[in-house]
Amino acid sequence: MILNSKRATAVHEAGHAVIGRVMAQECGEVTIIPDRSAMTAGYSITGDAWSTIHAWDQAGRWREYRSITIGRIITLMAGRHAEEELRGVCQGGDGHDQREIAMMVDEAGWGERGDTAGDAAVLLARLERFSRAAVRRHRKAIRALASELLKRKSMTADEVAEVLQPHLPRWHWPPRPKVFC
């Protein structure tokens, strides 16, 4: 664990929290309180793919497992990208994120088919670009949430949603049910 400054940690975790919501992931609390036993400077809870799929199913909507996994990978990449975009550098501290990404790619078997579409390196490069673009697009929301995190240290999912409402007005969790007319 590299102990970044509180500001770097707030930006990093806000990046995860904002982009996770943009990617329609199930997201929970966020904190910048270090947990030395877990070797973390903070965390942003993003539900696993199955809990996100379940929430979408409950709303009568459908999402493919692969698309949810891709959204999780983009969310995990967003912490580092938020630091780079808003602070100019990421001094580390995203080792856990990188391990999670590698595990998801391995579990999905991407890159085992031998074709370009299945090549994990090509896919990850594409997702890196997408994550960077998403962070740039939502940097005001990330900055606003990071600022609140510095004041409060920890925030519930509802508190995060309240802070992000002016920046992500169309975002709703859980997803709204489809209405057929």
Side-chain angles (χ1 to χ4, degrees):
M1 171 179 70
I2 295 175
L3 286 177
N4 290 330
S5 70
K6 287 283 187 197
R7 184 171 305 283
T9 301
V11 168
H12 185 99
E13 301 308 334
H16 289 313
V18 170
I19 302 307
R21 285 160 173 82
V22 169
M23 293 286 101
Q25 301 291 303
E26 179 183 31
C27 297
E29 66 185 50
V30 182
T31 187
I32 58 170
I33 298 172
D35 182 348
R36 297 201 191 285
S37 65
M39 295 179 53
T40 62
Y43 61 82
S44 175
I45 299 293
T46 303
D48 69 11
W50 293 112
S51 63
T52 299
I53 286 173
H54 177 71
W56 280 98
D57 286 347
Q58 293 297 315
R61 294 175 177 234
W62 184 81
R63 292 293 183 271
E64 188 177 290
Y65 182 83
R66 177 183 166 98
S67 68
I68 299 288
T69 301
I70 286 172
R72 286 196 76 219
I73 291 171
I74 291 167
T75 299
L76 287 166
M77 291 174 169
R80 169 179 281 277
H81 297 151
E83 283 190 66
E84 291 169 351
E85 177 70 23
L86 278 79
R87 298 186 45 81
V89 65
C90 177
Q91 297 175 335
D94 72 331
H96 180 264
D97 300 336
Q98 295 301 319
R99 286 188 297 279
E100 284 285 316
I101 291 167
M103 186 176 67
M104 284 188 281
V105 168
D106 187 50
E107 285 177 3
W110 296 331
E112 294 176 1
R113 294 186 290 266
D115 59 353
T116 305
D119 185 359
V122 171
L123 175 63
L124 288 174
R126 187 178 308 141
L127 297 181
E128 285 272 351
R129 288 190 303 273
F130 190 93
S131 180
R132 286 182 196 284
V135 165
R136 275 191 304 276
R137 180 174 183 192
H138 297 287
R139 67 180 165 263
K140 288 181 183 177
I142 294 168
R143 189 175 288 122
L145 183 56
S147 177
E148 279 301 310
L149 271 171
L150 285 168
K151 294 175 196 169
R152 300 184 195 191
K153 308 298 184 227
S154 286
M155 297 174 69
T156 66
D158 289 339
E159 291 170 332
V160 171
E162 185 179 316
V163 169
L164 295 180
Q165 181 59 35
H167 304 283
L168 305 174
R170 295 185 308 195
W171 178 81
H172 298 282
W173 189 267
R176 291 182 175 166
K178 266 189 179 175
V179 178
F180 296 100
C181 298

